[in-house]
Amino acid sequence: AWTRGEIEAPGATKDMGGWTARVYTAEQQARLGVDEEGKKVAEAPRRVQAVGPAWTRGEIEAPGATKDMGGWTAGVYTAEQQARLGVDEEGKKVAEAPRRVQAVGPSWTLGLAGGKKVTEAPRRAQAVGPAWTRGEIEAPGATKDMGGWTARVYTAEQQARLGVDEEGKKVAESPRRVQAVGPAWTRGEIEAPGATKDMGGWTASVYTAEQQARLGVDEGGKKVTE
């Protein structure tokens, strides 16, 4: 249902052996009344409706990384996002350090007449997030283990097609570069894959067994003969 916009997207992934499925976190299951696959379950009596993370309500940009929580993977904010947005890795606002105001001595010490003058507090520079968080380029199609956290990165196919490195930064175009065509789901011709697959150094988006049977495609999204 989430691929059709009928419910919010799963917030975690689950290792299914040869592939990784998108699953709903315990918080989402409790809040939405679904199991980890997104199927509706019988509502418990006097169930309290919880509120999801701010990014699921469009109040803040989505997390740019994931974190292994043992049996499931949570979406977390990168160090760059935390510094830029003033949040912790879960997206919760953190108290900003009070600005120190540099006072200036009495005007007579400056050779001026009358009045007190203080320097203006330095303005905090607003950092800019990755281009895909602003809708300027398609989102990365893979993830990369960065040690304590997982970064969103561009696949080899996306890098070749978009002329970017794995972080999405533009690279010098090689002479006579051939413009490749991305997967059909990146062009809106088919619903997006519902799982990921470890390809060694990177993770590919793949279609689940259910999607393959329903859409008549293989795990890469290519049409198969009936």
Side-chain angles (χ1 to χ4, degrees):
W2 67 269
T3 62
R4 302 188 298 274
E6 298 173 4
I7 190 173
E8 71 183 50
T13 58
K14 184 176 181 181
D15 186 0
M16 305 300 289
W19 58 283
T20 303
R22 296 286 294 275
V23 296
Y24 286 85
T25 65
E27 181 278 333
Q28 288 181 304
Q29 294 178 46
R31 176 166 51 84
L32 302 173
V34 297
D35 59 18
E36 68 176 10
E37 297 176 355
K39 298 176 181 177
K40 282 290 184 181
V41 295
E43 186 175 349
R46 301 180 64 183
R47 177 173 173 269
V48 178
Q49 185 69 26
V51 178
W55 68 268
T56 64
R57 304 189 299 274
E59 299 174 3
I60 190 174
E61 70 183 50
T66 58
K67 184 177 181 180
D68 185 0
M69 305 301 288
W72 58 283
T73 303
V76 296
Y77 287 83
T78 65
E80 181 276 331
Q81 288 181 305
Q82 293 178 47
R84 174 165 53 85
L85 301 173
V87 297
D88 59 19
E89 69 175 10
E90 298 176 356
K92 298 177 181 176
K93 283 288 184 182
V94 294
E96 186 175 346
R99 295 179 179 177
R100 182 180 178 184
V101 179
Q102 184 66 36
V104 179
S107 58
W108 63 266
T109 64
L110 303 176
L112 303 176
K116 298 179 181 179
K117 186 176 182 180
V118 295
T119 58
E120 184 177 339
R123 295 181 180 178
R124 181 182 177 187
Q126 184 68 28
V128 179
W132 67 268
T133 65
R134 305 189 300 273
E136 298 175 2
I137 190 174
E138 69 185 51
T143 58
K144 184 177 181 180
D145 185 0
M146 305 301 288
W149 57 284
T150 303
R152 297 284 294 276
V153 296
Y154 286 85
T155 65
E157 182 277 328
Q158 287 181 305
Q159 293 178 45
R161 175 165 52 83
L162 301 173
V164 297
D165 59 18
E166 67 176 11
E167 298 176 356
K169 298 177 182 177
K170 283 289 183 181
V171 295
E173 186 174 349
S174 301
R176 302 181 63 184
R177 177 174 174 269
V178 178
Q179 184 69 26
V181 178
W185 66 269
T186 64
R187 303 189 301 274
E189 298 174 3
I190 189 174
E191 70 184 49
T196 58
K197 184 176 181 180
D198 186 1
M199 304 301 288
W202 58 283
T203 304
S205 296
V206 296
Y207 287 84
T208 65
E210 182 275 331
Q211 288 181 303
Q212 293 178 46
R214 174 165 53 82
L215 301 173
V217 297
D218 59 18
E219 70 176 8
K222 297 178 181 177
K223 284 289 183 180
V224 293
T225 56
E226 296 186 10

